[in-house]
Amino acid sequence: QVQLVESGGGLVQAGGSLRLSCAASGSIFSINAMGWYRQAPGKQRELVASISSGGGTNYADSVKGRFTISRDSAKNTVYLQMNSLKPEDTAVYYCNAGGVHTRTGIATYWGQGTQVTVSS
């Protein structure tokens, strides 16, 4: 059984910073891509940033230049450094791990979500 455990959310003033972490645990052979999604009230879940096993990154236009995704493959952990936060960044942030290879096969997993609230 694979679990993704997120941490680092909270309340911050506009212009501030937060760092999210997500650690995958279980009998994992390898993970292809890891990423962060977010969902604000009344809106669809959207991709914030992703990083491949080779280190290639992809960002939503709304966070480019402010957020940085990184990964420690040895620890099966992904990070999201969020700077210059805006009230519109307020959402529940979900960790995603795709192409997770275990002895039972390959699947995608989600974390439970962590709340990020940015006050104006």
Side-chain angles (χ1 to χ4, degrees):
Q1 183 76 5
V2 174
Q3 287 188 323
L4 302 184
V5 179
E6 300 138 335
S7 60
L11 173 64
V12 65
Q13 288 189 331
S17 298
L18 284 174
R19 189 187 192 219
L20 305 183
S21 299
C22 171
S25 63
S27 299
I28 298 170
F29 296 152
S30 63
I31 301 176
N32 185 10
M34 301 187 79
W36 292 92
Y37 287 71
R38 66 186 181 188
Q39 187 167 19
K43 294 188 176 181
Q44 289 189 331
R45 190 174 297 190
E46 63 175 359
L47 174 68
V48 176
S50 64
I51 184 167
S52 70
S53 56
T57 58
N58 182 44
Y59 295 93
D61 287 343
S62 59
V63 307
K64 284 180 180 177
R66 300 188 298 122
F67 291 10
T68 302
I69 190 169
S70 60
R71 175 175 179 172
D72 186 337
S73 294
K75 296 181 179 179
N76 290 328
T77 300
V78 63
Y79 307 94
L80 186 68
Q81 178 66 43
M82 304 185 293
N83 298 329
S84 302
L85 282 161
K86 304 175 181 180
E88 51 264 44
D89 294 318
T90 295
V92 177
Y93 283 70
Y94 296 91
C95 176
N96 171 275
V100 180
H101 188 193
T102 67
R103 63 178 179 179
T104 60
I106 299 176
T108 296
Y109 295 89
W110 290 89
Q112 79 285 356
T114 185
Q115 178 70 45
V116 171
T117 302
V118 184
S119 63
S120 57

